[in-house]
Amino acid sequence: MAGGGGKSFLAEAGYGEQELDANSALMELDKGLRSGKLGEQCEAVVRFPRLFQKYPFPILINSAFLKLADVFRVGNNFLRLCVLKVTQQSEKHLEKILNVDEFVKRVFSVIHSNDPVARAITLRMLGSMASIIPERKNAHHSIRQSLDSHDNVEVEAAIFAAANFSAQSKDFAAGICNKISEMIQGLATPVDLKLKLIPILQHMHHDASLASSSRQLLQQLVTSYPSTKMVIVTLHTFTLLAASSLVDIPKQVQLLLQYLKNDPRKAVKRLAIQDLKLLANKTPHTWTRENIQALCESALHTPYDSLKLGMLSVLSTLSGTIAIKQYFSSAPGTAATTARSFDLVKLAQECCYHNNRGIAAHGVRILTNISASCQEKDLLPLEQDAVFGLESLLVLCSQDGSPGAQATLKITLTCMVKLVKSRPHLSQSVVESLLTQLHSAQDAARILMCHCLSAIAMQLPVLADGMLGDLMDLYKVIGRSATDKKQELLVSLATVIFVSSQKALSSEIKTVIKQQLENVSNGWTAYRIARQASRMGNHDMARELYQSLLTQVASEHFYFWLNSLKEFSHAEQCLTGLQEDNYSSALSCIAEALKSYHKGIASLTAASTPLNPLSFQCGFVKLRIDLLQAFSQLICTCNSLKTSPPPAIATTIAMTSGNDLQRCGRISNQMKLSMEEFRNLAARYGDLYQSSFDADSATLRNVELQQQSCLLISHAIEALILDPESANFQEYTSNGTAHVESEYERRMMSVFNRVLEEVESLNRKYAPVSYLHTACLCSAVIALLKVPLSFQRYFFQKLQSTSIKLALSPSPRNPAEPIAVQNNQQLALKVEGVVQHGSKPGLFRKIQSVCLNVSSVLQSKSGQDYKIPIDNMSNEMEQRVEPHNDYFSTQFLLNFVILGTHNITVESSVIDSNGIVWKTGPKTTIFVKSLEDPYSQQVRLQQQQGQPSSQQQQQRIAYSRF
């Protein structure tokens, strides 16, 4: 089972070299472990983590860890150290060990060695395994004994093990707490050992009394041992304990602020700031106004820039949370003060123009966060302060190419985007300052500034055509050298140009871009610019760039990929020629677009490989083709009112049939079919959305807009023609465009609103079907098609990769061979799974749980037909399991009462942290053959032969004994 699972996983992961199956790989490593040469043994041991990564199922991992435990038991200390490192690297696979007792027994035998180093390695090994053996009393006893050892190496190992077991076991933590306390307070314990023992107390958070006693001990230590090292270690342990136990966080914040204010040592102040930052990130809601005020006072009075920077870092973290609103809400019974009189605002304004860039950046961020989150009138003047501070930092950092300046510039530009998003009226001044600074900035800074301009322009249409001239002049200047930074800058500037002129690019702009690309760029830069053009809807530019790249690629898969993109861009370009009232030209434009799309999908299919099947891209394009065909069919249907009007007897037919729509003639049936087609397309877009777990939010929004356009047209058909009486417009009204993220979305939403208004104004005014109704539908189709389609990031690039690998047991040796089961027994089907991630796991969304659906279908019947309850005919079960360390397993009990071959399908879907279900797959199938049990078969044969019942009774007794 594990072998088969491993093979297909490797095929999916795309390993190039010839790979062995799981058993062969394990045998190969076992051969190395049995070698007489120490070097070969060590090499075999250190190759185990890669084996676990490739074949992450329990059968192999159990066998491998038992072999490693044997090596640990009989090997020398160096081999034991190698096994320890492998165990620590493979911590998430430990829970897949099936024979935990046997594994622990082999490892634990070394604890009785006379060699203290061997005992120390064993203790570290036990500590690394604490997650699977938290309550093993013999391990607890060994750790307690070793804490009293005279060998420093063994004591340090015992401290490591004690910390790990305390984190996992409440009993061990409660038992060891007094021992640790005695050792820390004992005069015989050296100071360096005390410094290592104190951090164990951070794990004493399993219950309130334990946490309280640990806090008291730490409080005594802080006062009893005032040396710098002891205070730093004790305070940090104090903070970690409070963060875990939660109830003492307000007290801890006060304690840290007290040390920050009163302790003269810079090292202690730095530690206090670091811990305050940790608590600000974890629980900002527990910070009171007094806490923030105390921190502001300390920052205002400190003469040291390094400490001021740290305090401002804490305050900038808090300013982006709920704590800032608590700070500005005036206390009951006191008059509200003006914004500028608050210490936090004074501090931020003072720091905005500080000569230290980091301090200035935090000051600006605090002002930005206050402006963005607090909308009170008396805080409005602060937005202008924020803009001035941002502009001064922009001028300062854009001239400097050092890494520190670039980091500060990133903070500044992020604040600009946030400020413009919350206060749109500031956008013009921010954009103008960015454009002015672009000419004199360093290349690295220009790239970041272009990203910022694009982000602002995507949210608000602030880049006017007059600004394009400046951008084009800069584009010409940049193109004179071909360094990597210049290439990156060409892409960034081109993106800004595309965003600022999304309607259409003038021929002059296209010529300039192409000339610069021909002069200095490589093919990759041209492809990236073409990709951005496709995302922004500039399909004519994209088509020309894809065309120029076709002959520059090294593989036929890349050629077909570029060719498909060229065809899709050409198809979308055809649709830009649509005119409002010219329906015949609309049909020819759609036909031309479909022709290119069909060529493109053929190329796209040729570009796909087993490792990169391009399933999302193919699904998206096929849906686009079907949508265009449905639009074309709808326009033809509307035209049929002219070419085939209702017959003269249509009214009579409608009266006799009782269906009022019959008086409209054949168009009513055609419209019904058209409406069903659009609803079907909307459902298919919904399926595509659900299968795109790894897609970014912009891509998902794009798919959602396509789905909404299908629903809009089906609703319009129903409201205008099929059922005008019961049409409901409330559920289709837009919620406004407050959260519009792109120009494409903005234009689609405006079309949706306009179409809905037109449909609502026509609805119930005129009896269906008139030329006004068909004209309204045709103009809705043309309005939707005139918005250039945006090919979003997921079409080109997959930033997050998540897949699930399932293994079923029992599983047949040959996939086509059925598993035999007697019909009076139940099959226990065990489903195990591993979640596999790419380089950026959980970038957009994380897996909360996996939903497993098991169903069985009878394929072929054998034997006689019996009357069987309908419940026994099929199996349909569903279970939700939460993966732990990316592994999950569960079992299903299945009945197969009917004799014959059954097809069992196991399908997995994923539920994310928001509770949304994603149909990611995979789907696995096995066959089960249900056989008649021997006793029933014997009884049936006897009944057929007419044997006496006494013989049946004897036979029954014999079978029951058997």
Side-chain angles (χ1 to χ4, degrees):
M1 176 198 71
K7 256 184 174 171
S8 50
F9 162 49
L10 285 169
E12 287 163 16
Y15 290 95
E17 70 232 33
Q18 186 66 36
E19 295 289 354
L20 306 165
D21 70 352
N23 292 328
S24 307
L26 186 57
M27 293 302 290
E28 198 68 31
L29 292 184
D30 190 38
K31 202 187 294 179
L33 294 178
R34 293 174 187 277
S35 167
K37 297 176 183 173
L38 182 62
E40 287 182 8
Q41 286 180 303
C42 293
E43 187 188 350
V45 170
V46 298
R47 282 168 59 197
F48 271 90
R50 180 157 164 76
L51 180 76
F52 298 152
Q53 194 181 339
K54 287 186 199 171
Y55 312 108
F57 286 103
I59 286 185
L60 178 129
I61 284 169
N62 184 61
S63 306
F65 268 114
L66 288 175
K67 289 181 191 301
L68 287 174
D70 273 332
V71 172
F72 189 90
R73 181 167 55 91
V74 298
N76 59 25
N77 282 348
F78 184 66
L79 273 174
R80 286 176 183 140
L81 195 61
C82 291
V83 173
L84 170 64
K85 294 293 178 191
V86 167
T87 308
Q88 288 175 339
Q89 282 178 33
S90 312
E91 195 175 349
K92 72 175 193 175
H93 298 298
L94 287 175
E95 63 179 32
K96 298 174 196 169
I97 299 173
L98 306 173
N99 299 357
V100 176
D101 290 343
E102 186 59 36
F103 178 60
V104 174
K105 191 169 95 179
R106 293 178 193 183
V107 170
F108 194 74
S109 60
V110 186
I111 202 79
H112 305 299
S113 166
N114 289 331
D115 178 6
V117 176
R119 293 201 299 271
I121 295 172
T122 309
L123 285 166
R124 287 187 181 274
M125 187 78 173
L126 290 170
S128 304
M129 293 152 45
S131 59
I132 57 169
I133 53 163
E135 305 299 341
R136 291 289 167 117
K137 299 303 177 198
N138 51 358
H140 295 182
H141 178 67
S142 299
I143 293 166
R144 290 177 70 95
Q145 267 191 325
S146 298
L147 283 170
D148 295 327
S149 171
H150 296 292
D151 186 88
N152 283 341
V153 176
E154 188 176 354
V155 173
E156 284 179 21
I159 291 170
F160 170 82
N164 283 15
F165 271 93
S166 298
Q168 300 288 340
S169 167
K170 180 183 172 182
D171 288 350
F172 180 80
I176 204 77
C177 189
N178 291 335
K179 171 86 175 166
I180 299 290
S181 170
E182 286 168 18
M183 287 181 74
I184 292 171
Q185 291 175 317
L187 297 175
T189 312
V191 174
D192 62 330
L193 197 59
K194 288 182 181 180
L195 291 173
K196 289 171 183 168
L197 282 164
I198 290 169
I200 297 178
L201 296 172
Q202 68 182 300
H203 303 297
M204 306 294 167
H205 53 73
H206 297 282
D207 61 31
S209 60
L210 191 60
S212 174
S213 61
S214 300
R215 274 191 73 81
Q216 284 172 9
L217 172 60
L218 288 166
Q219 189 72 57
Q220 287 171 19
L221 289 173
V222 165
T223 49
S224 309
Y225 298 91
S227 69
T228 305
K229 281 186 179 178
M230 284 295 279
V231 168
I232 285 174
V233 172
T234 309
L235 273 181
H236 188 56
T237 306
F238 229 145
T239 304
L240 294 173
L241 178 63
S244 300
S245 58
L246 298 176
V247 289
D248 296 310
I249 287 177
K251 285 184 197 169
Q252 184 61 22
V253 171
Q254 285 173 358
L255 179 69
L256 291 169
L257 285 169
Q258 187 183 324
Y259 268 90
L260 181 62
K261 186 179 178 183
N262 300 330
D263 199 301
R265 293 168 289 188
K266 282 180 81 173
V268 175
K269 285 180 185 287
R270 275 198 293 268
L271 185 275
I273 290 168
Q274 176 193 320
D275 284 357
L276 284 168
K277 181 86 182 276
L278 187 149
L279 295 174
N281 279 314
K282 187 173 172 65
T283 54
H285 57 279
T286 59
W287 285 65
T288 62
R289 185 180 170 169
E290 290 71 27
N291 296 151
I292 297 174
Q293 184 64 29
L295 192 55
C296 289
E297 286 169 9
S298 298
L300 281 166
H301 297 136
T302 183
Y304 301 109
D305 281 359
S306 61
L307 295 179
K308 184 172 273 193
L309 179 63
M311 292 181 217
L312 279 165
S313 167
V314 178
L315 287 168
S316 72
T317 302
L318 288 169
S319 70
T321 65
I322 189 70
I324 199 71
K325 295 205 173 190
Q326 294 173 359
Y327 179 76
F328 282 111
S329 58
S330 55
T334 61
T337 52
T338 59
R340 291 174 192 268
S341 64
F342 285 105
D343 278 351
L344 179 60
V345 175
K346 278 183 194 168
L347 177 66
Q349 287 170 333
E350 181 188 300
C351 293
C352 274
Y353 305 101
H354 200 280
N355 56 8
N356 182 314
R357 280 191 306 257
I359 291 177
H362 284 306
V364 166
R365 184 191 267 178
I366 291 169
L367 282 179
T368 304
N369 285 337
I370 293 171
S371 302
S373 58
C374 303
Q375 304 287 346
E376 289 83 358
K377 281 184 184 174
D378 55 335
L379 294 172
L380 289 178
L382 295 182
E383 64 189 30
Q384 212 55 51
D385 296 342
V387 171
F388 292 149
L390 288 167
E391 287 176 357
S392 67
L393 260 182
L394 178 66
V395 173
L396 179 71
C397 297
S398 60
Q399 314 291 337
D400 190 346
S402 66
Q406 296 305 301
T408 308
L409 183 62
K410 279 185 183 176
I411 294 173
T412 308
L413 297 173
T414 307
C415 289
M416 281 183 169
V417 175
K418 185 170 185 177
L419 190 63
V420 168
K421 192 173 182 179
S422 62
R423 303 288 170 96
H425 61 275
L426 299 172
S427 58
Q428 206 61 41
S429 61
V430 169
V431 167
E432 281 170 10
S433 61
L434 279 167
L435 285 170
T436 309
Q437 206 55 40
L438 259 180
H439 290 278
S440 57
Q442 296 272 330
D443 280 347
R446 281 173 173 175
I447 293 166
L448 296 172
M449 288 158 75
C450 285
H451 290 169
C452 178
L453 275 170
S454 302
I456 293 171
M458 290 284 277
Q459 292 170 7
L460 303 160
V462 286
L463 286 170
D465 291 337
M467 298 173 183
L468 270 177
D470 290 346
L471 293 170
M472 294 314 300
D473 292 342
L474 189 57
Y475 205 85
K476 289 174 190 172
V477 174
I478 290 166
R480 289 178 190 154
S481 70
T483 61
D484 287 346
K485 285 285 179 198
K486 297 284 186 193
Q487 301 283 317
E488 183 75 27
L489 188 50
L490 281 173
V491 177
S492 305
L493 253 181
T495 307
V496 178
I497 292 166
F498 294 148
V499 172
S500 60
S501 56
Q502 285 202 335
K503 301 245 167 76
L505 286 173
S506 69
S507 56
E508 184 189 345
I509 294 173
K510 283 197 281 187
T511 310
V512 172
I513 291 175
K514 281 196 290 187
Q515 276 177 354
Q516 295 301 335
L517 289 177
E518 285 166 12
N519 293 342
V520 294
S521 77
N522 53 32
W524 178 241
T525 304
Y527 172 71
R528 288 176 68 194
I529 290 175
R531 196 170 67 181
Q532 293 293 7
S534 292
R535 284 179 69 186
M536 303 305 164
N538 291 303
H539 296 294
D540 53 342
M541 181 81 212
R543 185 180 65 80
E544 291 174 24
L545 290 176
Y546 291 135
Q547 178 71 51
S548 67
L549 288 169
L550 277 176
T551 53
Q552 296 182 32
V553 287
S555 109
E556 63 175 11
H557 291 299
F558 292 151
Y559 170 83
F560 285 126
W561 168 246
L562 286 173
N563 190 49
S564 67
L565 292 176
K566 183 203 79 173
E567 294 293 350
F568 300 152
S569 299
H570 182 249
E572 290 300 326
Q573 183 57 28
C574 293
L575 296 174
T576 55
L578 290 167
Q579 293 168 355
E580 282 293 338
D581 298 321
N582 193 344
Y583 305 141
S584 58
S585 76
L587 284 172
S588 60
C589 286
I590 293 173
E592 189 66 30
L594 280 168
K595 188 175 161 186
S596 290
Y597 260 121
H598 282 297
K599 283 185 194 170
I601 193 73
S603 269
L604 189 64
T605 310
S608 61
T609 63
L611 301 181
N612 190 17
L614 303 176
S615 50
F616 173 80
Q617 290 86 339
C618 289
F620 186 79
V621 171
K622 281 174 185 169
L623 278 167
R624 181 68 176 170
I625 290 170
D626 291 348
L627 181 60
L628 289 177
Q629 284 173 336
F631 281 151
S632 177
Q633 185 61 44
L634 180 59
I635 294 174
C636 290
T637 302
C638 291
N639 286 345
S640 72
L641 189 63
K642 298 174 187 173
T643 56
S644 175
I649 58 166
T651 312
T652 315
I653 294 170
M655 289 176 69
T656 53
S657 66
N659 184 359
D660 194 42
L661 274 175
Q662 289 294 329
R663 61 186 180 73
C664 306
R666 61 193 290 272
I667 194 173
S668 59
N669 289 327
Q670 286 180 314
M671 282 293 181
K672 202 168 186 179
L673 291 172
S674 195
M675 186 184 76
E676 290 299 325
E677 177 66 22
F678 279 106
R679 284 191 176 164
N680 182 34
L681 279 169
R684 285 171 60 197
Y685 270 116
D687 291 341
L688 181 68
Y689 184 101
Q690 278 196 311
S691 65
S692 307
F693 177 77
D694 293 319
D696 55 289
S697 56
T699 305
L700 291 175
R701 182 64 185 136
N702 193 350
V703 174
E704 208 173 11
L705 287 169
Q706 303 302 314
Q707 183 186 27
Q708 284 174 357
S709 64
C710 296
L711 290 171
L712 175 77
I713 296 294
S714 73
H715 171 70
I717 295 170
E718 186 179 27
L720 288 176
I721 295 164
L722 297 179
D723 195 2
E725 294 301 319
S726 59
N728 178 18
F729 291 90
Q730 293 302 316
E731 59 186 289
Y732 287 92
T733 52
S734 169
N735 298 325
T737 54
H739 301 292
V740 170
E741 292 291 332
S742 67
E743 179 64 21
Y744 175 70
E745 185 179 350
R746 191 179 294 110
R747 291 171 72 176
M748 286 294 275
M749 294 304 286
S750 70
V751 170
F752 290 170
N753 291 335
R754 195 171 77 242
V755 169
L756 278 170
E757 283 167 15
E758 286 175 13
V759 171
E760 195 168 3
S761 65
L762 272 179
N763 181 40
R764 300 180 191 172
K765 275 191 184 176
Y766 305 98
V769 173
S770 71
Y771 296 121
L772 288 169
H773 295 94
T774 55
C776 178
L777 285 173
C778 288
S779 60
V781 167
I782 291 170
L784 286 169
L785 288 176
K786 279 184 78 173
V787 180
L789 180 68
S790 170
F791 289 95
Q792 288 293 342
R793 183 193 285 276
Y794 193 59
F795 196 86
F796 301 98
Q797 195 179 19
K798 198 174 183 179
L799 292 184
Q800 174 183 311
S801 175
T802 313
S803 60
I804 291 174
K805 178 74 194 144
L806 293 180
L808 310 182
S809 57
S811 60
R813 290 178 182 276
N814 180 2
E817 187 182 305
I819 299 163
V821 179
Q822 290 185 12
N823 70 334
N824 65 341
Q825 296 176 348
Q826 290 180 317
L827 174 70
L829 181 70
K830 184 176 185 182
V831 181
E832 294 173 293
V834 175
V835 181
Q836 296 161 350
H837 300 285
S839 57
K840 297 177 181 175
L843 181 66
F844 300 122
R845 53 199 68 82
K846 293 178 182 176
I847 294 177
Q848 184 72 32
S849 57
V850 177
C851 182
L852 293 166
N853 186 284
V854 175
S855 57
S856 70
V857 178
L858 181 66
Q859 273 203 324
S860 58
K861 232 179 196 182
S862 61
Q864 298 177 358
D865 288 348
Y866 298 105
K867 287 185 180 177
I868 294 166
I870 199 141
D871 295 347
N872 296 331
M873 294 286 281
S874 65
N875 295 287
E876 189 78 41
M877 295 184 186
E878 188 175 281
Q879 276 192 45
R880 288 188 181 185
V881 284
E882 286 192 17
H884 189 252
N885 288 331
D886 294 335
Y887 170 76
F888 59 89
S889 77
T890 188
Q891 288 191 324
F892 295 88
L893 273 178
L894 306 174
N895 283 314
F896 300 101
V897 179
I898 302 174
L899 305 183
T901 305
H902 298 257
N903 182 5
I904 301 177
T905 304
V906 180
E907 187 173 9
S908 64
S909 50
V910 160
I911 297 155
D912 68 10
S913 46
N914 295 324
I916 300 167
V917 179
W918 301 84
K919 294 177 180 172
T920 53
K923 191 185 278 189
T924 311
T925 304
I926 57 169
F927 295 98
V928 169
K929 189 164 189 178
S930 178
L931 305 171
E932 192 175 10
D933 69 288
Y935 173 68
S936 303
Q937 193 177 12
Q938 185 71 26
V939 169
R940 184 168 53 76
L941 287 171
Q942 285 176 0
Q943 283 174 349
Q944 285 172 0
Q945 291 165 7
Q947 288 184 357
S949 59
S950 61
Q951 283 186 9
Q952 283 181 25
Q953 191 64 31
Q954 289 167 5
Q955 196 73 23
R956 182 190 289 268
I957 293 163
Y959 267 107
S960 65
R961 282 178 188 159
F962 170 72

